[in-house]
C-alpha cells in the first residue's frame, strides 16, 4: 500500500468520523431552548454535558452509514486492485495461442512453435499449466506442454480470423478455474477489438505475450474482391473485375497475379502499384472451360499474388472464388417504353430485383429469350396494351417444366402494363399457365371482354387464385392473385396493377423493392444471407464460430486481418516478456481514461474541505454566540482570500494605421487627474487590420482610406463590432463619401450628420462650445441605435492632444487645453455613451440647483 | 400553561379595564381629588359619616345631641378624599424577553412575553390611579440604570400603551424614558409602591427596608414557568447567564424536580417579602383579568390598613 492510498483511506475514515460527530452536535443544537428561570433553581441538579448521545432517526442513519460504508469500501477496493501483486508464480495459468493470419507476419510456424515452447518452458514448474490454440476448441493440459511445438506446427496458421473475446468466452465456459490468462498474440486490432479484458481483469490476471521476432507491419498486398462482370444484357461473360489493395504507402510495388482453375493456370498478369496508389482495380479476361465447370460443382478459381519484394502476410496472397456467380436468375419480359429510367418504368422493377439478389435478363419479347439448360427461377412478364399472347406469355416454362418436374422454385409473375385496357390476353396467359401441362386450345370464354381491372381480379379469384395483400375478403385491394400449379411446382402470380413506381403514385420508388421483398416472403421464396453466402467464397472473421466448418483451410483471409491495423498499447493488457530474469510482467498502460481516482480525490477533498469549514464555522458561532458579525466577517475574509482578482479599470488607446506609437505621458496625466478613468500607458497599435484590434471598446483609425481598403470580410467584422457597441474614431477625414456610403450600406438604420452643438459629445464631461475644425471640415458622426458609433475628425487630432511640439497646422487657433477636453469627452462618450440623459441623475441635479 | 380558554387573561389586559368593580367613583372636586381617603377631623351633621366613639378621639367631634337622645357617644367626622403618590417600579432584564419566538414556535403557541405582561400591568395601574386623580410615577429599573416614564394624564398613559402595543412592547425603544439615578428613586417619597417583577434577580435590599409606604409586589411570571408540563424529556434547556448551564429535559422532569424547585423558590420569596411588607400578589399571563382585578380590590380589605386607605 503506497502512501497516497493509505492517506486517502485515512482521509475518508476521518471525514466520515467528523461527519458523524458534527451531525450529532448539530442535532443536539437544534433542540435547545432558553429557560431563564433555571437561574434560580438549586444548583445540585447536574448540568447537561456538552456532548451527548441522542439516538438518530433510523432511516437517515442507515442512509448515512450505507453511503460512508460504500465510500470506504470503494476506496479500499481501489487500493486493493492497485496494489495487487503481479505474481506470475504459483497460479493456475492458461495460455491462449492466437494463430490467426496476422500472426504469421515475419514468423514461420516453426519459429512460432519454438517460441511457444520457450514460453511454456519458462512457466513450467511454477504454475499449473494448460493451453489451447485458436485453431480448435480442444484444451491441452500439463501433460501436453512438452508437445506444444508439435501441436502448433501440426495445426499451422489458419486462414480465418480470430476474435479473442469470443474465443476466451468459449474457453472460460470450458475451464472455469483460471487464475492467470496469457494471450499470445500480436497487436492486430481486429483480433482484440471485441475483448473487454478490463472487465475480466477483476477476476483473472490477464497478460499479453507478443511473440518475439515479429516484425513491424510495413506493406501488405492482398486481394480485396473478385467479381465477374455482368453484361448490360444481364448475361455473364469471361471478364473478371479484381480489386487489389495495399496497406503501406510511399513505395512502388509490383508483382504477378495468377489464376488457376482445376489445376490449370488460366491467367498470369503483372500488376503495379504507384507510390501513392492504395487500390488497384483490374479487369481480366479469364476464359473458363464451361464443360469442366459443369462436371465439378466444387471447382473454383484460385487467384494467387506473387509480389516482387517483401510482403507482410503471405497467407492472404491466395484468394478463392466461384467460377461463376451463383445468383438466382430472373427473366423480365417487357417492351421498353423509352430511354432508360426516365421513361421506362420497368427499369426500376429490374433494379429492384437486382437489389434483391437476382441476375435479371431482360428481353423485349419472349421469342428473344434463348432457351438455356435451366429455366430462370423467376419470370416476370409484362403485358403491354397491344401485346399478343405469344409475345409475352412464358408458355415455354410449362413445357420445360414438364421435363423437370422436380423443380419447385419457379415463379411466373404476370404484370399488367401501364394503361392496359384489355385484360383478355393476360387472363388467357394466366389460365394457360394454371392449366398446364394440359395445353389450352383457344382463349377460354371467361377471358373474353375483360376491359376492367375489377373484372380481371374477379375472374382470377373464380379460377381459384388466392389474394396476396390487401384486406381480407376484398380482392380488389390486393397486390396480386396467386395460384400454385402443383403439377409443375410453379407459382403463378397475377399482379392487379402495374409495378410502376411514380413520385405521386401509390407505389413510391423506395417502396418497390420492399413490396417485392414482401411478395417474395409471402410466396415462400427465401431471400437472404443463405443465398448471398453462396455467391461469395467464405471469409471468416471469427474462427471460434466456425470450428466445425469443413475445408476451413480454403477460406479467404478476412480483409481486416490483411489490413493489419494495430491496437495501441493502452488498449492491451499488461505485457509479459521473457528475458534473462525470466518472465517479467510490465505494468499495464491501459486504463488511464477509466481511472476514477482523480474524481474520487476531488470529491474527498471537497468533502473534507466542507467538513472543516463547517467545523470552524460551527466553532466560531458557538464561541461568538452573542456576536453574529464574527461569522459574517469570517465568510467574507475567507472568500476574499480565495479569489482576490485585480479589477481592471484602465482604458487602452487602440490605434490602427499610425506610423509611430505616440507618447501618452501628458494625456495620461490629464485623463487620470480629471476623471476616474485611467488611460493605460500601453497602446494597442497596428498597421494592418486584425481581429484582436476589436477587443477594446474603441478604435482610432489614422485615415479613412485604411477602412476603405479593407477586405469585405474584415469590413463586415468591423461593422459587426460597431453594431455590437464599438466606437470608431477616424481622423484626417475630408468628406470621405465612399466610407460613409459603405458604412451606411452595412448599417442602413443609421445616419450620418454633422455633430450638433447640443450633442452629448459637447457635454459628456466638459461643457464645450465648439469642436475644433480644420480647413472648413466639420466633425461628423454616424448615429446608430440611438448612440454615436463613429466619429469623423478632420486633421490629426490625436497628435494635437498629445502636446507635441509640431502638432500640425490644422488646429492652430485652438489651445492644447481645448483638445484635451474634447479627448476626454470622446473617451466618456465611447465608454458611457449618453449617460447624462439618464433620468437617474435628475433628482440629484435638481437638488443641487435648488 | 397553554392558553386555550376564552376567558380574558392578563396577556390581553388594557389600561381601560376598570379596577374598581364596585363602581365607587373617587371624588374629584376643586380641592380634593385622588384615591386616598382622608378622615378630616371636623364635626359634621351628616349621619353617613358617623361612627362610634373610641378612646382617644377628639371630644369636640362627639355629637352631644345624639348622646342626649340615645346615650351613645357618636362621632361625626368629615370624610374626604385626596390624591396620593403612587410609585410603580418595573424590574427590567434580558429574561423578560422570555418566552422567546424560538420556544413559542416550537410549541406552536402564541404567548406574550413577560415584558409585555409587566408593561400591561404597569400601564393599567398607572391609568387607573391617574383616573382616580392620583400622582403616578413609573420607573424602569435595569442593570443599565433607572429610567422614568413621565406620566401626567390618562391620555398620556393611553398613548404610551398604544405605542407599546404597536411596537411589540419594546419599551426601551418606544417610550421617552428619562434617566434618573438609583438614589433619586430610593429617596422619593410615596404613599403606595407597586413593584412589578418576576423576581429572577432577587428582591433589592432597599425595597425590603423601605418604610412609610404601602408596598405591594406584583410577582409577574410567565405561565410556562409555573406550569412546566410542556417540557420535553429529549430536549435540553439552558439559562442565559455566563456559565451557560444546560439541563436535559429528562432530568428537569424527573420527580417533578423543576416544579418543586420553582415552588420552593416562590415560597421563599413570598415569605421574605411579607416579612417586610403587607401585600404580595402572584400573576401570570394566563391568569384571568377578572380574578386579578378582584384580588386588587380585595387587597384593601385583607390588610388591617388597606393600601388605599390612610388616616391623616
Amino acid at each position: 500500500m503506497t502512501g497516497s492510498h493509505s492517506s486517502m483511506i485515512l482521509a475518508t475514515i476521518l471525514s466520515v468520523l467528523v461527519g458523524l460527530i458534527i451531525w450529532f452536535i448539530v442535532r443536539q443544537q437544534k433542540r435547545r431552548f432558553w429557560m431563564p428561570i433555571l437561574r434560580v433553581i438549586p444548583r445540585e441538579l447536574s448540568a447537561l454535558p456538552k456532548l451527548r448521545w441522542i439516538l438518530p432517526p433510523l432511516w437517515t442513519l442507515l442512509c448515512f452509514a450505507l453511503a460512508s460504508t460504500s465510500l470506504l469500501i470503494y476506496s479500499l477496493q481501489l487500493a486493493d486492485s492497485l496494489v495487487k501483486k503481479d505474481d506470475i508464480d504459483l497460479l493456475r495459468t492458461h495460455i491462449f495461442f492466437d494463430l490467426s493470419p496476422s500472426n504469421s507476419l515475419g514468423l514461420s510456424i516453426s519459429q512460432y512453435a519454438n517460441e511457444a515452447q520457450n514460453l511454456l518452458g519458462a512457466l513450467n514448474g511454477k504454475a499449473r499449466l494448460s493451453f489451447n490454440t485458436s485453431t480448435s476448441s480442444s484444451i491441452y493440459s500439463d501433460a501436453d506442454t512438452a508437445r506444444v511445438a508439435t501441436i502448433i506446427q501440426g495445426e499451422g496458421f489458419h486462414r480465418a480470423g480470430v476474435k479473442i473475446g469470443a474465443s476466451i468466452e468459449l474457453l472460460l465456459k470450458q475451464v472455469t478455474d483460471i487464475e492467470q490468462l496469457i494471450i499470445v498474440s500480436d497487436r492486430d486490432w481486429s483480433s482484440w477489438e471485441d475483448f473487454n479484458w478490463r472487465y475480466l481483469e477483476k477476476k483473472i490476471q490477464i497478460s499479453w505475450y507478443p511473440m518475439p521476432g515479429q516484425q513491424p507491419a510495413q506493406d501488405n498486398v492482398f486481394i480485396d474482391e473478385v467479381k465477374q462482370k455482368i453484361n448490360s444484357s444481364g448475361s455473364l461473360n469471361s471478364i473478371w473485375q479484381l480489386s487489389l489493395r495495399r496497406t503501406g504507402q510511399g513505395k512502388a510495388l509490383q508483382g504477378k497475379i495468377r489464376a488457376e482453375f482445376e489445376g490449370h493456370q488460366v491467367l498470369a498478369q503483372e500488376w503495379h502499384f504507384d507510390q501513392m496508389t492504395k487500390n488497384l482495380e483490374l479487369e481480366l479476361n479469364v476464359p473458363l472451360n464451361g464443360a469442366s465447370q459443369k462436371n465439378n460443382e466444387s471447382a473454383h478459381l484460385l487467384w494467387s499474388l506473387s509480389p516482387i519484394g517483401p510482403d507482410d502476410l503471405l497467407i492472404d496472397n491466395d484468394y478463392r472464388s466461384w467460377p461463376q456467380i451463383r445468383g438466382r436468375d430472373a427473366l423480365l419480359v417487357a417492351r421498353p417504353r423509352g430511354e432508360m429510367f426516365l421513361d421506362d418504368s420497368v427499369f426500376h422493377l429490374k433494379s429492384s430485383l437486382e437489389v434483391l439478389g437476382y441476375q435479371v435478363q431482360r428481353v423485349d419479347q419472349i421469342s428473344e429469350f434463348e432457351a438455356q439448360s435451366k429455366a430462370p427461377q423467376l419470370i416476370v412478364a409484362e403485358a403491354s396494351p397491344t401485346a399478343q399472347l405469344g409475345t409475352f406469355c412464358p408458355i415455354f416454362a410449362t413445357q420445360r417444366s414438364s421435363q423437370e418436374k422436380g423443380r419447385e422454385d419457379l415463379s411466373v409473375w404476370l404484370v399488367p402494363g401501364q394503361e392496359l385496357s384489355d385484360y383478355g390476353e393476360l387472363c388467357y396467359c394466366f389460365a394457360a399457365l394454371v392449366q398446364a401441362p394440359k395445353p389450352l386450345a383457344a382463349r377460354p370464354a371467361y377471358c373474353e371482354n375483360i376491359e376492367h381491372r375489377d373484372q380481371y381480379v374477379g375472374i382470377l379469384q373464380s379460377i381459384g387464385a388466392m389474394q396476396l395483400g390487401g384486406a381480407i375478403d376484398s380482392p380488389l385491394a390486393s397486390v396480386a392473385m396467386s395460384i400454385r400449379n402443383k403439377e409443375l411446382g410453379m407459382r403463378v402470380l397475377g399482379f392487379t396493377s402495374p409495378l410502376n413506381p411514380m413520385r405521386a403514385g401509390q407505389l413510391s420508388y423506395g417502396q418497390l423493392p420492399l413490396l417485392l421483398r414482401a411478395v417474395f416472403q409471402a410466396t415462400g421464396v427465401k431471400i437472404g444471407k443463405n443465398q448471398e453466402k453462396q455467391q461469395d467464397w467464405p471469409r471468416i472473421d471469427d474462427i471460434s464460430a466456425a470450428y466445425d466448418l469443413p475445408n476451413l483451410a480454403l477460406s479467404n483471409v478476412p480483409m481486416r486481418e490483411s489490413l493489419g491495423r494495430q491496437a495501441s498499447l493502452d488498449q492491451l493488457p499488461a505485457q509479459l516478456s521473457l528475458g534473462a530474469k525470466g518472465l517479467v510482467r510490465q505494468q499495464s498502460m491501459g486504463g488511464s481514461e477509466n481511472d476514477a481516482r482523480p474524481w474520487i480525490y476531488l470529491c474527498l477533498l471537497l468533502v473534507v474541505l466542507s467538513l472543516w469549514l463547517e467545523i470552524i464555522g460551527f466553532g466560531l458561532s458557538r464561541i461568538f454566540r452573542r456576536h453574529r458579525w464574527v461569522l459574517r466577517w469570517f465568510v467574507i475574509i475567507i472568500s476574499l482570500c480565495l479569489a482576490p482578482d485585480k479589477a481592471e479599470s484602465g482604458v487602452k488607446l487602440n490605434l490602427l494605421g499610425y506610423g509611430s506609437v505616440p507618447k501618452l505621458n501628458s494625456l495620461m496625466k490629464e485623463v487620470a487627474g480629471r476623471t476616474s478613468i485611467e488611460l493605460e500607458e500601453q497602446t494597442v497599435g497596428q498597421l494592418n487590420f486584425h481581429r484582436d484590434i476589436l477587443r477594446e471598446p474603441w478604435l482610432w483609425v489614422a485615415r479613412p482610406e485604411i477602412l476603405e481598403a479593407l477586405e469585405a470580410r474584415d469590413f463586415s467584422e468591423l461593422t459587426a463590432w460597431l453594431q455590437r457597441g464599438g466606437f470608431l474614431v477616424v481622423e484626417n477625414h475630408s468628406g470621405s463619401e465612399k466610407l460613409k456610403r459603405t458604412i451606411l450600406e452595412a448599417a442602413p438604420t443609421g445616419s450620418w450628420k454633422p455633430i450638433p452643438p447640443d450633442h452629448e459629445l459637447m457635454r459628456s464631461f466638459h461643457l464645450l462650445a465648439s469642436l475644433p475644425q480644420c480647413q472648413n471640415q466639420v466633425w461628423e458622426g454616424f448615429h446608430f441605435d440611438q448612440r454615436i458609433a463613429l466619429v469623423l475628425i478632420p486633421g490629426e487630432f490625436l497628435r494635437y492632444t498629445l502636446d507635441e511640439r509640431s502638432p500640425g497646422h490644422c488646429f492652430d487657433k485652438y489651445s492644447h487645453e481645448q483638445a484635451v477636453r474634447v479627448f476626454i469627452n470622446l473617451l466618456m462618450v465611447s465608454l458611457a455613451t449618453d449617460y447624462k440623459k439618464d433620468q437617474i441623475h435628475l433628482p440629484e441635479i435638481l437638488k443641487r440647483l435648488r | 400553561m397553554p392558553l386555550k380558554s376564552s376567558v380574558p387573561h392578563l396577556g390581553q389586559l388594557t389600561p381601560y379595564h376598570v379596577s374598581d368593580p364596585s363602581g365607587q367613583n373617587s371624588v374629584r372636586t376643586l380641592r380634593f381629588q385622588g384615591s386616598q381617603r382622608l378622615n378630616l377631623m371636623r364635626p359634621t351633621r351628616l349621619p353617613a359619616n358617623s361612627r362610634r366613639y373610641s378612646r382617644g378621639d377628639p371630644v369636640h367631634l362627639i355629637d352631644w345631641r345624639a348622646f342626649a337622645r340615645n346615650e351613645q357617644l357618636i362621632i361625626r367626622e368629615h370624610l374626604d378624599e385626596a390624591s396620593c403618590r403612587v410609585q410603580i417600579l418595573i424590574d427590567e432584564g434580558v429574561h423578560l424577553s422570555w418566552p422567546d419566538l424560538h420556544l413559542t414556535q416550537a410549541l406552536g403557541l402564541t404567548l406574550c412575553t413577560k415584558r409585555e405582561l409587566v408593561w400591561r400591568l404597569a400601564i393599567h395601574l398607572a391609568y387607573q390611579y391617574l383616573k382616580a386623580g392620583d400622582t403616578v410615577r413609573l420607573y424602569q429599573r435595569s442593570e443599565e440604570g433607572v429610567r422614568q416614564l413621565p406620566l401626567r394624564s390618562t391620555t398620556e398613559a393611553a398613548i404610551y400603551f398604544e405605542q407599546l402595543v404597536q411596537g411589540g412592547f419594546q419599551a426601551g425603544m418606544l417610550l421617552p424614558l428619562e434617566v434618573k439615578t438609583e438614589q433619586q428613586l430610593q429617596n422619593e417619597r410615596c404613599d403606595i409602591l407597586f413593584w412589578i417583577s418576576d423576581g429572577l434577580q432577587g428582591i433589592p435590599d432597599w425595597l425590603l427596608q423601605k418604610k412609610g409606604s404601602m408596598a405591594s409586589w406584583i410577582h409577574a411570571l410567565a405561565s410556562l414557568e409555573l406550569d412546566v408540563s410542556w417540557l420535553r424529556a429529549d430536549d435540553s434547556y439552558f439559562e442565559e447567564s455566563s456559565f451557560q448551564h444546560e439541563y436535559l429535559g429528562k432530568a428537569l422532569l424527573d420527580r417533578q424536580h423543576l416544579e418543586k424547585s420553582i415552588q420552593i423558590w416562590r415560597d421563599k420569596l413570598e415569605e421574605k417579602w411579607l416579612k417586610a411588607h403587607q401585600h404580595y400578589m402572584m400573576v401570570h399571563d394566563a391568569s384571568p383579568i377578572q380574578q386579578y382585578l378582584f384580588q386588587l380590590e380585595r387587597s384593601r380589605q385583607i390588610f388591617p390598613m388597606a393600601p388605599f386607605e390612610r388616616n391623616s
Side-chain angles (χ1 to χ4, degrees), chain A residues 717-729:
Chain A
E717 251 179 52
L718 182 79
T719 47
W721 170 74
L722 274 181
Q723 289 177 12
R724 280 204 305 273
F727 187 74
L728 189 64
V729 186

Side-chain angles (χ1 to χ4, degrees), chain A residues 34 121 124 131 169 219 254-255 262 385 443 451 457 531 540 647 709 780 789 813:
Chain A
W34 173 39
N124 206 3
F131 68 93
E169 191 184 347
D219 218 339
Q254 56 182 348
E262 293 192 313
R443 182 191 284 207
E451 293 171 349
V457 174
Q531 266 70 28
I540 296 162
E780 289 189 55
K813 37 182 178 172

Side-chain angles (χ1 to χ4, degrees), chain A residues 75-124:
Chain A
S75 51
L76 285 174
Q77 192 191 12
L78 179 81
D80 177 52
S81 78
L82 285 172
V83 301
K84 190 169 77 177
K85 204 175 174 190
D86 289 336
D87 187 9
I88 54 171
D89 298 338
L90 300 172
L91 289 171
R92 167 83 165 87
T93 302
H94 185 92
I95 304 161
F96 174 79
F97 290 104
D98 176 9
L99 292 174
S100 65
S102 59
N103 283 279
S104 68
L105 171 60
L107 271 183
S108 68
I109 192 68
S110 56
Q111 284 169 318
Y112 191 99
N114 285 339
E115 292 294 343
Q117 188 74 60
N118 288 346
L119 175 65
L120 282 181
L123 281 168
N124 206 3

Side-chain angles (χ1 to χ4, degrees), chain A residues 31-35 48, chain B residues 98 102 235 238 240 246:
Chain A
R31 305 279 292 273
R32 294 174 81 242
F33 296 111
W34 173 39
M35 216 174 155
L48 185 74
Chain B
W98 201 79
H102 174 55
D235 300 341
F238 63 95
E240 86 288 359
E246 197 165 333

